[in-house]
Amino acid sequence: MIIAIDGPSGAGKSTLGKLLAKKFGLLYLDTGAMYRAVGLAVLESGTSLDDADAVARIAADCNIELVGEPDHLQIILNGRDVSTEIRTNEVGQAASKVSTISEVRRILVDHQRELGLESKNGAVLDGRDIGSVVFPNADIKFFLTADAEARARRRFEEDLEKGRAVSFEHTFEEIKERDHRDATRSDSPLVRAAGAIEIDTSDLSLEEVFGKMIESVEKFKG
Ligand code: DC
């Protein structure tokens, strides 16, 4: 069983993806973390994020592994655990930039398909293009949305908790900038895939959204 979860940043994709994977015994693949790992590798190399050829070469040389259970997923870049480092806003912006480069997408999409198909019982993948490009034949597709302010509020609270918050306004501006780039890039922009179940999470609790998603999965399983 392949479950695709797409949507803009801060809509709850990763929290819900992890919960679903755990509940149904599936592999959880955080595809955004893979773009973030490439973004981090580019930042650390001192290469310009605008140099598409050099960025693509770095992506080709990156060995990215996702290790462990959904709720303790570790992101390993060239043998080093970068799970915490990739969560900064700076790396998020870098990820959004490298993700506009087609060659980077080709490399990561191939890797994501491989991991999804290799999984024993199936996988939950969260990202921007899972239901439209990576697994257009996914068994279930979700499209999670929420208004930009609600998403910025959640991201800001998360950043406060982790001690990396600047200000709400800063987070709000960053979310809007990333939304715009992710939805307007020419290769695989964020779209609601055909057949995707759309859930607006702005005014719903985590439990309510999770309940709706479980219902859809149970229905599919029959
Ligand atoms: O989900 P996230 O915030 O960790 O993703 C970081 C960036 O990676 C996001 O701004 C866009 C990009 N991304 C993508 O283009 N395609 C995906 N499947 C996942 C993420």
Side-chain angles (χ1 to χ4, degrees), residues 157-174:
E157 275 160 21
E158 198 181 307
D159 286 351
L160 269 183
E161 229 170 76
K162 302 262 162 72
R164 57 178 181 222
V166 180
S167 68
F168 173 75
E169 287 68 29
H170 181 76
T171 307
F172 193 24
E173 286 312 310
E174 285 220 325

Side-chain angles (χ1 to χ4, degrees), residues 45-209:
S45 73
T47 304
S48 162
L49 288 159
D50 298 321
D51 185 342
D53 292 339
V55 171
R57 275 196 299 275
I58 292 174
D61 285 341
C62 280
N63 179 27
I64 303 168
E65 296 161 280
L66 305 185
V67 181
E69 292 301 305
D71 42 2
H72 295 103
L73 193 72
Q74 286 180 305
I75 317 302
I76 312 291
L77 169 64
N78 299 331
R80 180 176 125 227
D81 185 349
V82 293
S83 314
T84 309
E85 280 166 272
I86 59 166
R87 294 299 159 196
T88 64
N89 284 321
E90 187 193 7
V91 176
Q93 292 290 357
S96 172
K97 286 186 185 157
V98 304
S99 75
T100 62
I101 300 169
S102 294
E103 181 60 10
V104 171
R105 301 202 71 82
R106 195 190 58 73
I107 293 166
L108 294 187
V109 167
D110 278 355
H111 192 189
Q112 290 154 16
R113 286 190 183 132
E114 225 172 77
L115 294 173
L117 293 174
E118 269 171 21
S119 60
K120 213 166 81 208
N121 303 320
V124 177
L125 293 92
D126 96 50
R128 305 291 189 291
D129 60 341
I130 309 301
S132 54
V133 175
V134 183
F135 283 110
N137 296 321
D139 299 296
I140 308 168
K141 300 179 190 178
F142 292 106
F143 190 74
L144 298 188
T145 59
D147 60 64
E149 201 171 333
R151 292 186 283 115
R153 204 175 336 107
R154 285 177 199 157
R155 192 45 54 85
F156 180 62
E157 275 160 21
E158 198 181 307
D159 286 351
L160 269 183
E161 229 170 76
K162 302 262 162 72
R164 57 178 181 222
V166 180
S167 68
F168 173 75
E169 287 68 29
H170 181 76
T171 307
F172 193 24
E173 286 312 310
E174 285 220 325
I175 285 254
K176 286 193 283 191
E177 188 184 333
R178 211 131 72 80
D179 277 0
H180 181 257
R181 195 183 302 114
D182 296 347
T184 56
R185 66 176 178 233
S186 56
D187 188 347
S188 321
L190 170 67
V191 284
R192 179 191 158 168
I197 300 163
E198 182 163 348
I199 306 175
D200 185 336
T201 69
S202 311
D203 300 316
L204 297 177
S205 68
L206 189 66
E207 292 71 25
E208 286 171 317
V209 182

Side-chain angles (χ1 to χ4, degrees), residues 6-43:
D6 291 302
S9 7
K13 300 184 303 292
S14 77
T15 309
L16 288 150
K18 287 175 185 173
L19 288 171
L20 268 191
K22 217 170 160 191
K23 175 152 181 80
F24 294 101
L26 304 170
L27 178 74
Y28 167 67
L29 292 178
D30 177 349
T31 67
M34 298 169 82
Y35 288 93
R36 283 172 182 266
V38 173
L40 178 67
V42 174
L43 289 176

